[in-house]
Amino acid sequence: MALKVPIFIVVSKVDLCSHGTVERTVRQLERVFKQPGCNKVPMVVLNPDDAVTAAQQFAQSACITPIFTLSSVSGESLDLLKVFLNILPPLSNSKEQEDLMQQLTEFQVDEIYSVPDVGTVVGGTLYSGVCREGERLVVGPTEDGRFLRVKVDSIQRNRSACRVLKAGQAATLALGNFDRSLLRKGMVMVSPKMNPTICCQFEAAIVLLFHAKTFRRGSQVTVHVGNVRQTATVERLHGKDELRTGERAVVRFHFIKHPEYLRLTAKLLFREGVTKGIGHVTRLLPHNQYLNHDQNLQDY
């Protein structure tokens, strides 16, 4: 909700409890969504007409939050969820996808596998550009901030072979005998023409959603930016010594392990225990050792 991602709720396994328990759970959800700050309008789906209305309103307003109660065992209300999903339009339109396809290739690595007779395989989403079978890309950043040359041997989408991958599509890419130990989640595979900005330090405009005490310089949090997840230290709070729940500031973070590839304006979420905050990246602070693009490309 903090990232303003449209959501709907599915309460499953209703065959295992009484009708009263299901109603009590739904009432609890409704109370949560109606709290100040949530800004959601819960809508319990009870029949096909509700499912159609929920899908139409959900596409028009992120405030509408449909709630389904179903059982995969008995099949109760499963048809209502299918109706809802079938009517629901895609979030991105074809014009946006066309614009992204004109940009340089950028594939975000979310999963890494080793497949017998295939080799190293990475799973993820193509953020921009077009990726073709046999294409040569660079993957990184490594722990020392470098990018390694790699070749896409084959592509699969929905477990079927695919020759071309377009922006916005998720897929798995086979990389042949590329050493899996050199890869990690959060890396990107990009066009060699791109000069990716990688950094150990960056600044973000944040709002502290909750913190038990005070948020100050030296605090450590786990930062999530897209597919990147790493612990970072608060290096500086611009104009303030500390932050309390609900306050805003521009904060400089420092990744504690290795540099990451980030984009300006990317949404950011950070957490540590009960501490939670959101924001967006406002400035990247690349190290001098990362600025020479040609020196950062290595053959593997």
Side-chain angles (χ1 to χ4, degrees), residues 4-44:
K4 295 182 172 55
V5 176
I7 60 173
F8 61 91
I9 305 295
V10 178
V11 181
S12 62
K13 297 183 172 65
V14 299
D15 57 290
L16 297 178
C17 56
S18 66
H19 184 66
T21 302
V22 176
E23 286 189 336
R24 188 162 60 251
T25 301
V26 171
R27 284 198 299 270
Q28 288 175 342
L29 285 168
E30 289 177 328
R31 281 199 297 272
V32 169
F33 288 132
K34 290 177 181 178
Q35 287 177 351
C38 287
N39 196 28
K40 296 289 185 181
V41 180
M43 179 180 180
V44 181

Side-chain angles (χ1 to χ4, degrees), residues 12 36-37 40 59 65 110 139 144-145 178 189 196 231 239 265 293:
S12 62
K40 296 289 185 181
T65 306
D110 297 324
V139 61
D144 59 356
F178 191 92
M189 294 172 57
T231 301
T265 74
H293 179 59

Side-chain angles (χ1 to χ4, degrees), residues 8 12 18 35 55 59 85 123 136 145 155 182 195 218 224 250 269 279 286:
F8 61 91
S12 62
S18 66
Q35 287 177 351
L85 292 174
R136 296 185 181 276
I155 305 172
L182 297 173
N195 188 8
H224 300 258
V250 174
L269 184 147

Side-chain angles (χ1 to χ4, degrees), residues 199-200 202 228 230-232 253-258 260 262:
C199 57
C200 280
F202 67 96
V228 169
Q230 190 183 155
T231 301
F253 291 97
H254 188 285
F255 288 125
I256 67 169
K257 292 181 67 177
H258 43 69
E260 300 281 11
L262 300 178

Side-chain angles (χ1 to χ4, degrees), residues 76-87:
E76 179 184 343
S77 298
L78 205 55
D79 57 328
L80 301 182
L81 181 60
K82 290 179 180 178
V83 168
F84 174 79
L85 292 174
N86 284 331
I87 296 175

Side-chain angles (χ1 to χ4, degrees), residues 90-121:
L91 280 176
S92 59
N93 57 46
S94 56
K95 177 66 168 63
E96 291 174 343
Q97 187 185 35
E98 286 291 335
D99 291 343
L100 285 171
M101 286 170 59
Q102 301 304 315
Q103 300 176 20
L104 292 173
T105 302
E106 179 185 322
F107 182 86
Q108 299 176 336
V109 177
D110 297 324
E111 301 289 343
I112 304 163
Y113 318 93
S114 290
V115 180
D117 301 324
V118 176
T120 301
V121 175

Side-chain angles (χ1 to χ4, degrees), residues 34-288:
K34 290 177 181 178
Q35 287 177 351
C38 287
N39 196 28
K40 296 289 185 181
V41 180
M43 179 180 180
V44 181
V45 178
L46 300 174
N47 54 58
D49 288 341
D50 287 348
V52 173
T53 303
Q56 292 172 340
Q57 295 186 2
F58 186 73
Q60 295 169 1
S61 172
C63 293
I64 302 298
T65 306
I67 300 176
F68 298 84
T69 57
L70 57 82
S71 166
S72 298
V73 174
S74 67
E76 179 184 343
S77 298
L78 205 55
D79 57 328
L80 301 182
L81 181 60
K82 290 179 180 178
V83 168
F84 174 79
L85 292 174
N86 284 331
I87 296 175
L88 206 59
L91 280 176
S92 59
N93 57 46
S94 56
K95 177 66 168 63
E96 291 174 343
Q97 187 185 35
E98 286 291 335
D99 291 343
L100 285 171
M101 286 170 59
Q102 301 304 315
Q103 300 176 20
L104 292 173
T105 302
E106 179 185 322
F107 182 86
Q108 299 176 336
V109 177
D110 297 324
E111 301 289 343
I112 304 163
Y113 318 93
S114 290
V115 180
D117 301 324
V118 176
T120 301
V121 175
V122 294
T125 305
L126 189 65
Y127 176 79
S128 63
V130 174
C131 182
R132 294 179 174 81
E133 196 176 82
E135 188 162 354
R136 296 185 181 276
L137 303 171
V138 292
V139 61
T142 59
E143 291 192 0
D144 59 356
R146 298 184 180 276
F147 280 75
L148 308 173
R149 291 185 173 92
V150 66
K151 179 184 176 184
V152 178
D153 287 348
S154 61
I155 305 172
Q156 280 200 350
R157 290 195 68 228
N158 302 321
R159 300 189 179 184
S160 298
C162 171
R163 291 190 176 277
V164 180
L165 188 65
K166 299 179 181 178
Q169 295 179 337
T172 53
L173 312 182
L175 307 182
N177 60 357
F178 191 92
D179 188 350
R180 176 183 173 176
S181 66
L182 297 173
L183 300 172
R184 59 179 172 80
K185 296 178 183 179
M187 281 184 163
V188 289
M189 294 172 57
V190 298
S191 166
K193 297 178 182 178
M194 186 183 290
N195 188 8
T197 302
I198 57 176
C199 57
C200 280
Q201 295 188 68
F202 67 96
E203 293 183 354
I206 67 161
V207 55
L208 195 61
L209 298 179
F210 181 78
H211 192 36
K213 297 179 181 178
T214 54
F215 185 78
R216 55 167 62 92
R217 181 181 176 184
S219 298
Q220 285 196 345
V221 294
T222 301
V223 174
H224 300 258
V225 186
N227 64 331
V228 169
R229 181 181 66 184
Q230 190 183 155
T231 301
T233 302
V234 175
E235 292 276 307
R236 181 180 177 187
L237 279 76
H238 290 278
K240 295 186 178 182
D241 294 325
E242 59 185 30
L243 281 184
R244 296 184 183 275
T245 299
E247 293 183 340
R248 298 172 181 270
V250 174
V251 177
R252 180 174 296 182
F253 291 97
H254 188 285
F255 288 125
I256 67 169
K257 292 181 67 177
H258 43 69
E260 300 281 11
Y261 167 73
L262 300 178
R263 284 191 307 274
L264 284 173
T265 74
K267 290 182 180 179
L268 168 146
L269 184 147
F270 60 88
R271 60 179 177 80
E272 183 59 46
V274 295
T275 301
K276 291 182 178 66
I278 60 170
H280 64 275
V281 178
T282 58
R283 185 184 176 196
L284 303 176
L285 301 165
H287 283 234
N288 290 336

